[in-house]
Amino acid sequence: MKSYSKIVALTALGLQFSLGAMSAASAQEQAPNEVRMLNKDSHGVAKAFEPALLPIAPGGTVDFVAWDFGHDLISVKGLHPEGAEEFSGYKNADTSVTFDKEGVYVYECAAHRAAGMIGVVVVGDASANLDDILANYQDNPDLSPAGKERLAPILASLKSK
Ligand SMILES: [Cu+2]
């Protein structure tokens, strides 16, 4: 009987441990303005920002989180509202960017440009510069063919709103 109660005690400890692990996992839930830099996103896309499209209010801050190893962040020249500042983040670093000017901002991971690792932040009203981006992104020298391929459906979804 003595050894039996020992097993019960161990099992209870194990349960406590797994409950602790569960609450740690739920603490990692993605914040509303968080973009994760990933080797693979939840849809199975390799080398991806998630979410790839993030709408925020003007003046909002986006936290780009270096979730997986080896990713960086740089705004794509010409594919953001006129007069808006370029932004970038070092490889493997978390970077917070505050967006004031309304419109569409396209950014990418320079390390995985060829793989098409791109993302879009929409600040307020996309129509501020959406037509301009639609007219020009195919000729942008800083986007790879794979990047353009990923960007196309994102821009189309904004246009249909
Ligand atoms: Cu990357």
Side-chain angles (χ1 to χ4, degrees), residues 79-112:
L79 301 185
H80 48 62
E82 208 180 319
E85 274 181 53
E86 309 276 344
F87 59 93
S88 62
Y90 291 112
K91 193 181 270 188
N92 301 319
D94 295 348
T95 306
S96 294
V97 180
T98 299
F99 295 87
D100 293 319
K101 277 194 171 267
E102 282 198 277
V104 180
Y105 295 71
V106 180
Y107 61 92
E108 65 186 345
C109 168
H112 300 113

mmCIF file of all heavy atoms in Angstrom, residues 79-112:
data_model
loop_
_atom_site.group_PDB
_atom_site.id
_atom_site.type_symbol
_atom_site.label_atom_id
_atom_site.label_comp_id
_atom_site.label_asym_id
_atom_site.label_seq_id
_atom_site.Cartn_x
_atom_site.Cartn_y
_atom_site.Cartn_z
ATOM 1 N N LEU A 79 7.537 51.068 -51.856
ATOM 2 C CA LEU A 79 6.270 50.382 -51.593
ATOM 3 C C LEU A 79 5.736 50.727 -50.203
ATOM 4 O O LEU A 79 5.439 49.864 -49.382
ATOM 5 C CB LEU A 79 6.431 48.866 -51.764
ATOM 6 C CG LEU A 79 6.885 48.405 -53.154
ATOM 7 C CD1 LEU A 79 6.886 46.887 -53.239
ATOM 8 C CD2 LEU A 79 6.000 48.982 -54.266
ATOM 9 N N HIS A 80 5.665 52.026 -49.956
ATOM 10 C CA HIS A 80 5.035 52.527 -48.734
ATOM 11 C C HIS A 80 4.523 53.934 -49.024
ATOM 12 O O HIS A 80 4.857 54.504 -50.064
ATOM 13 C CB HIS A 80 5.997 52.490 -47.554
ATOM 14 C CG HIS A 80 7.341 53.071 -47.829
ATOM 15 N ND1 HIS A 80 7.531 54.392 -48.182
ATOM 16 C CD2 HIS A 80 8.571 52.507 -47.831
ATOM 17 C CE1 HIS A 80 8.820 54.608 -48.372
ATOM 18 N NE2 HIS A 80 9.471 53.482 -48.177
ATOM 19 N N PRO A 81 3.723 54.518 -48.151
ATOM 20 C CA PRO A 81 3.144 55.837 -48.435
ATOM 21 C C PRO A 81 4.236 56.896 -48.656
ATOM 22 O O PRO A 81 5.311 56.827 -48.049
ATOM 23 C CB PRO A 81 2.333 56.154 -47.170
ATOM 24 C CG PRO A 81 2.060 54.846 -46.544
ATOM 25 C CD PRO A 81 3.251 53.984 -46.856
ATOM 26 N N GLU A 82 3.928 57.830 -49.517
ATOM 27 C CA GLU A 82 4.885 58.892 -49.811
ATOM 28 C C GLU A 82 5.239 59.645 -48.530
ATOM 29 O O GLU A 82 4.369 60.008 -47.745
ATOM 30 C CB GLU A 82 4.272 59.860 -50.832
ATOM 31 C CG GLU A 82 5.311 60.541 -51.691
ATOM 32 C CD GLU A 82 4.685 61.507 -52.691
ATOM 33 O OE1 GLU A 82 3.634 61.159 -53.266
ATOM 34 O OE2 GLU A 82 5.244 62.602 -52.867
ATOM 35 N N GLY A 83 6.549 59.854 -48.323
ATOM 36 C CA GLY A 83 6.998 60.599 -47.154
ATOM 37 C C GLY A 83 7.152 59.767 -45.904
ATOM 38 O O GLY A 83 7.655 60.256 -44.891
ATOM 39 N N ALA A 84 6.741 58.501 -45.956
ATOM 40 C CA ALA A 84 6.894 57.640 -44.777
ATOM 41 C C ALA A 84 8.348 57.207 -44.646
ATOM 42 O O ALA A 84 9.045 57.053 -45.641
ATOM 43 C CB ALA A 84 5.995 56.414 -44.902
ATOM 44 N N GLU A 85 8.785 57.017 -43.398
ATOM 45 C CA GLU A 85 10.174 56.623 -43.164
ATOM 46 C C GLU A 85 10.401 55.154 -43.481
ATOM 47 O O GLU A 85 9.539 54.316 -43.250
ATOM 48 C CB GLU A 85 10.535 56.870 -41.692
ATOM 49 C CG GLU A 85 11.007 58.275 -41.416
ATOM 50 C CD GLU A 85 11.372 58.457 -39.953
ATOM 51 O OE1 GLU A 85 12.168 57.660 -39.437
ATOM 52 O OE2 GLU A 85 10.836 59.397 -39.337
ATOM 53 N N GLU A 86 11.617 54.867 -43.987
ATOM 54 C CA GLU A 86 12.026 53.468 -44.168
ATOM 55 C C GLU A 86 12.190 52.862 -42.775
ATOM 56 O O GLU A 86 12.442 53.584 -41.803
ATOM 57 C CB GLU A 86 13.382 53.405 -44.882
ATOM 58 C CG GLU A 86 13.485 54.218 -46.159
ATOM 59 C CD GLU A 86 12.950 53.488 -47.363
ATOM 60 O OE1 GLU A 86 12.788 52.260 -47.271
ATOM 61 O OE2 GLU A 86 12.665 54.148 -48.375
ATOM 62 N N PHE A 87 12.055 51.556 -42.669
ATOM 63 C CA PHE A 87 12.327 50.920 -41.383
ATOM 64 C C PHE A 87 13.054 49.601 -41.608
ATOM 65 O O PHE A 87 12.994 49.017 -42.699
ATOM 66 C CB PHE A 87 11.046 50.693 -40.570
ATOM 67 C CG PHE A 87 10.015 49.836 -41.252
ATOM 68 C CD1 PHE A 87 9.979 48.468 -41.026
ATOM 69 C CD2 PHE A 87 9.078 50.404 -42.090
ATOM 70 C CE1 PHE A 87 9.014 47.672 -41.632
ATOM 71 C CE2 PHE A 87 8.120 49.618 -42.721
ATOM 72 C CZ PHE A 87 8.088 48.256 -42.495
ATOM 73 N N SER A 88 13.761 49.168 -40.591
ATOM 74 C CA SER A 88 14.480 47.905 -40.700
ATOM 75 C C SER A 88 14.773 47.357 -39.310
ATOM 76 O O SER A 88 14.671 48.076 -38.316
ATOM 77 C CB SER A 88 15.788 48.090 -41.477
ATOM 78 O OG SER A 88 16.632 48.986 -40.789
ATOM 79 N N GLY A 89 15.112 46.098 -39.260
ATOM 80 C CA GLY A 89 15.487 45.467 -38.006
ATOM 81 C C GLY A 89 16.617 44.487 -38.251
ATOM 82 O O GLY A 89 16.682 43.856 -39.311
ATOM 83 N N TYR A 90 17.529 44.382 -37.293
ATOM 84 C CA TYR A 90 18.669 43.472 -37.427
ATOM 85 C C TYR A 90 18.215 42.026 -37.372
ATOM 86 O O TYR A 90 17.181 41.694 -36.792
ATOM 87 C CB TYR A 90 19.681 43.720 -36.313
ATOM 88 C CG TYR A 90 20.393 45.043 -36.425
ATOM 89 C CD1 TYR A 90 20.169 46.052 -35.494
ATOM 90 C CD2 TYR A 90 21.278 45.287 -37.473
ATOM 91 C CE1 TYR A 90 20.815 47.275 -35.597
ATOM 92 C CE2 TYR A 90 21.930 46.504 -37.587
ATOM 93 C CZ TYR A 90 21.701 47.496 -36.649
ATOM 94 O OH TYR A 90 22.335 48.694 -36.759
ATOM 95 N N LYS A 91 19.063 41.172 -37.950
ATOM 96 C CA LYS A 91 18.805 39.740 -37.932
ATOM 97 C C LYS A 91 18.757 39.239 -36.481
ATOM 98 O O LYS A 91 19.580 39.642 -35.658
ATOM 99 C CB LYS A 91 19.913 39.015 -38.701
ATOM 100 C CG LYS A 91 19.582 37.567 -39.013
ATOM 101 C CD LYS A 91 20.713 36.889 -39.749
ATOM 102 C CE LYS A 91 20.570 37.027 -41.242
ATOM 103 N NZ LYS A 91 21.565 36.199 -41.963
ATOM 104 N N ASN A 92 17.799 38.405 -36.187
ATOM 105 C CA ASN A 92 17.605 37.780 -34.868
ATOM 106 C C ASN A 92 17.255 38.767 -33.753
ATOM 107 O O ASN A 92 17.380 38.443 -32.579
ATOM 108 C CB ASN A 92 18.843 36.975 -34.456
ATOM 109 C CG ASN A 92 19.165 35.898 -35.453
ATOM 110 O OD1 ASN A 92 18.260 35.230 -35.973
ATOM 111 N ND2 ASN A 92 20.428 35.729 -35.760
ATOM 112 N N ALA A 93 16.815 39.958 -34.126
ATOM 113 C CA ALA A 93 16.441 40.953 -33.120
ATOM 114 C C ALA A 93 14.942 41.246 -33.195
ATOM 115 O O ALA A 93 14.370 41.293 -34.281
ATOM 116 C CB ALA A 93 17.226 42.242 -33.350
ATOM 117 N N ASP A 94 14.336 41.425 -32.027
ATOM 118 C CA ASP A 94 12.954 41.913 -31.986
ATOM 119 C C ASP A 94 12.984 43.401 -32.306
ATOM 120 O O ASP A 94 13.839 44.128 -31.809
ATOM 121 C CB ASP A 94 12.350 41.712 -30.591
ATOM 122 C CG ASP A 94 12.209 40.247 -30.223
ATOM 123 O OD1 ASP A 94 12.357 39.383 -31.118
ATOM 124 O OD2 ASP A 94 11.944 39.957 -29.045
ATOM 125 N N THR A 95 12.053 43.837 -33.140
ATOM 126 C CA THR A 95 12.035 45.237 -33.564
ATOM 127 C C THR A 95 10.622 45.788 -33.479
ATOM 128 O O THR A 95 9.686 45.156 -33.961
ATOM 129 C CB THR A 95 12.532 45.365 -35.026
ATOM 130 O OG1 THR A 95 13.804 44.742 -35.148
ATOM 131 C CG2 THR A 95 12.645 46.824 -35.441
ATOM 132 N N SER A 96 10.474 46.941 -32.847
ATOM 133 C CA SER A 96 9.163 47.593 -32.790
ATOM 134 C C SER A 96 9.165 48.813 -33.707
ATOM 135 O O SER A 96 10.103 49.600 -33.685
ATOM 136 C CB SER A 96 8.840 48.026 -31.360
ATOM 137 O OG SER A 96 8.696 46.870 -30.546
ATOM 138 N N VAL A 97 8.114 48.926 -34.522
ATOM 139 C CA VAL A 97 8.012 50.040 -35.469
ATOM 140 C C VAL A 97 6.663 50.726 -35.281
ATOM 141 O O VAL A 97 5.623 50.066 -35.250
ATOM 142 C CB VAL A 97 8.143 49.542 -36.930
ATOM 143 C CG1 VAL A 97 8.043 50.714 -37.911
ATOM 144 C CG2 VAL A 97 9.448 48.782 -37.147
ATOM 145 N N THR A 98 6.697 52.040 -35.133
ATOM 146 C CA THR A 98 5.455 52.817 -35.023
ATOM 147 C C THR A 98 5.127 53.439 -36.379
ATOM 148 O O THR A 98 5.999 54.009 -37.035
ATOM 149 C CB THR A 98 5.617 53.918 -33.952
ATOM 150 O OG1 THR A 98 5.874 53.280 -32.697
ATOM 151 C CG2 THR A 98 4.340 54.747 -33.829
ATOM 152 N N PHE A 99 3.879 53.280 -36.794
ATOM 153 C CA PHE A 99 3.438 53.735 -38.114
ATOM 154 C C PHE A 99 2.445 54.888 -37.963
ATOM 155 O O PHE A 99 1.397 54.731 -37.335
ATOM 156 C CB PHE A 99 2.763 52.591 -38.864
ATOM 157 C CG PHE A 99 3.677 51.442 -39.194
ATOM 158 C CD1 PHE A 99 3.868 50.412 -38.281
ATOM 159 C CD2 PHE A 99 4.340 51.375 -40.409
ATOM 160 C CE1 PHE A 99 4.708 49.338 -38.577
ATOM 161 C CE2 PHE A 99 5.181 50.312 -40.723
ATOM 162 C CZ PHE A 99 5.362 49.295 -39.801
ATOM 163 N N ASP A 100 2.795 56.027 -38.548
ATOM 164 C CA ASP A 100 1.925 57.196 -38.455
ATOM 165 C C ASP A 100 1.134 57.460 -39.740
ATOM 166 O O ASP A 100 -0.056 57.734 -39.689
ATOM 167 C CB ASP A 100 2.750 58.431 -38.087
ATOM 168 C CG ASP A 100 3.304 58.326 -36.665
ATOM 169 O OD1 ASP A 100 2.552 57.863 -35.785
ATOM 170 O OD2 ASP A 100 4.464 58.690 -36.454
ATOM 171 N N LYS A 101 1.813 57.399 -40.878
ATOM 172 C CA LYS A 101 1.156 57.731 -42.141
ATOM 173 C C LYS A 101 0.261 56.605 -42.608
ATOM 174 O O LYS A 101 0.661 55.439 -42.625
ATOM 175 C CB LYS A 101 2.210 58.016 -43.220
ATOM 176 C CG LYS A 101 2.754 59.440 -43.171
ATOM 177 C CD LYS A 101 3.505 59.767 -44.451
ATOM 178 C CE LYS A 101 3.867 61.224 -44.506
ATOM 179 N NZ LYS A 101 2.932 62.081 -45.179
ATOM 180 N N GLU A 102 -0.938 56.953 -43.026
ATOM 181 C CA GLU A 102 -1.888 55.955 -43.506
ATOM 182 C C GLU A 102 -1.452 55.361 -44.837
ATOM 183 O O GLU A 102 -0.878 56.056 -45.673
ATOM 184 C CB GLU A 102 -3.275 56.583 -43.675
ATOM 185 C CG GLU A 102 -4.017 56.742 -42.364
ATOM 186 C CD GLU A 102 -5.509 56.947 -42.590
ATOM 187 O OE1 GLU A 102 -5.905 58.093 -42.859
ATOM 188 O OE2 GLU A 102 -6.251 55.960 -42.491
ATOM 189 N N GLY A 103 -1.750 54.090 -45.005
ATOM 190 C CA GLY A 103 -1.481 53.442 -46.278
ATOM 191 C C GLY A 103 -0.871 52.064 -46.119
ATOM 192 O O GLY A 103 -0.848 51.497 -45.020
ATOM 193 N N VAL A 104 -0.393 51.531 -47.234
ATOM 194 C CA VAL A 104 0.148 50.168 -47.310
ATOM 195 C C VAL A 104 1.670 50.207 -47.247
ATOM 196 O O VAL A 104 2.301 50.998 -47.952
ATOM 197 C CB VAL A 104 -0.297 49.503 -48.633
ATOM 198 C CG1 VAL A 104 0.256 48.086 -48.741
ATOM 199 C CG2 VAL A 104 -1.822 49.502 -48.746
ATOM 200 N N TYR A 105 2.245 49.361 -46.384
ATOM 201 C CA TYR A 105 3.700 49.242 -46.241
ATOM 202 C C TYR A 105 4.100 47.803 -46.550
ATOM 203 O O TYR A 105 3.632 46.877 -45.886
ATOM 204 C CB TYR A 105 4.133 49.552 -44.808
ATOM 205 C CG TYR A 105 3.894 50.966 -44.327
ATOM 206 C CD1 TYR A 105 2.605 51.433 -44.073
ATOM 207 C CD2 TYR A 105 4.968 51.819 -44.110
ATOM 208 C CE1 TYR A 105 2.396 52.729 -43.613
ATOM 209 C CE2 TYR A 105 4.771 53.118 -43.637
ATOM 210 C CZ TYR A 105 3.483 53.565 -43.397
ATOM 211 O OH TYR A 105 3.281 54.837 -42.925
ATOM 212 N N VAL A 106 4.984 47.631 -47.542
ATOM 213 C CA VAL A 106 5.502 46.302 -47.860
ATOM 214 C C VAL A 106 6.918 46.192 -47.293
ATOM 215 O O VAL A 106 7.718 47.114 -47.427
ATOM 216 C CB VAL A 106 5.531 46.066 -49.390
ATOM 217 C CG1 VAL A 106 6.068 44.675 -49.705
ATOM 218 C CG2 VAL A 106 4.129 46.248 -49.985
ATOM 219 N N TYR A 107 7.194 45.082 -46.646
ATOM 220 C CA TYR A 107 8.533 44.856 -46.097
ATOM 221 C C TYR A 107 8.944 43.418 -46.389
ATOM 222 O O TYR A 107 8.109 42.596 -46.810
ATOM 223 C CB TYR A 107 8.564 45.140 -44.586
ATOM 224 C CG TYR A 107 7.646 44.248 -43.781
ATOM 225 C CD1 TYR A 107 8.109 43.050 -43.245
ATOM 226 C CD2 TYR A 107 6.303 44.583 -43.602
ATOM 227 C CE1 TYR A 107 7.255 42.217 -42.536
ATOM 228 C CE2 TYR A 107 5.451 43.755 -42.893
ATOM 229 C CZ TYR A 107 5.931 42.576 -42.359
ATOM 230 O OH TYR A 107 5.087 41.740 -41.676
ATOM 231 N N GLU A 108 10.215 43.134 -46.187
ATOM 232 C CA GLU A 108 10.683 41.780 -46.439
ATOM 233 C C GLU A 108 11.829 41.414 -45.513
ATOM 234 O O GLU A 108 12.349 42.264 -44.787
ATOM 235 C CB GLU A 108 11.114 41.627 -47.902
ATOM 236 C CG GLU A 108 12.325 42.467 -48.281
ATOM 237 C CD GLU A 108 12.641 42.393 -49.778
ATOM 238 O OE1 GLU A 108 12.133 41.513 -50.465
ATOM 239 O OE2 GLU A 108 13.425 43.250 -50.237
ATOM 240 N N CYS A 109 12.187 40.143 -45.555
ATOM 241 C CA CYS A 109 13.390 39.664 -44.867
ATOM 242 C C CYS A 109 14.471 39.602 -45.939
ATOM 243 O O CYS A 109 14.332 38.850 -46.911
ATOM 244 C CB CYS A 109 13.125 38.283 -44.262
ATOM 245 S SG CYS A 109 14.621 37.443 -43.685
ATOM 246 N N ALA A 110 15.514 40.411 -45.788
ATOM 247 C CA ALA A 110 16.564 40.464 -46.816
ATOM 248 C C ALA A 110 17.272 39.120 -46.958
ATOM 249 O O ALA A 110 17.663 38.730 -48.051
ATOM 250 C CB ALA A 110 17.564 41.567 -46.489
ATOM 251 N N ALA A 111 17.419 38.411 -45.841
ATOM 252 C CA ALA A 111 18.103 37.113 -45.881
ATOM 253 C C ALA A 111 17.323 36.091 -46.717
ATOM 254 O O ALA A 111 17.903 35.174 -47.288
ATOM 255 C CB ALA A 111 18.306 36.577 -44.467
ATOM 256 N N HIS A 112 16.006 36.256 -46.770
ATOM 257 C CA HIS A 112 15.179 35.304 -47.510
ATOM 258 C C HIS A 112 14.355 35.984 -48.604
ATOM 259 O O HIS A 112 13.209 35.625 -48.851
ATOM 260 C CB HIS A 112 14.283 34.520 -46.543
ATOM 261 C CG HIS A 112 15.067 33.744 -45.549
ATOM 262 N ND1 HIS A 112 15.068 34.024 -44.201
ATOM 263 C CD2 HIS A 112 15.929 32.711 -45.725
ATOM 264 C CE1 HIS A 112 15.897 33.180 -43.580
ATOM 265 N NE2 HIS A 112 16.428 32.392 -44.481
#
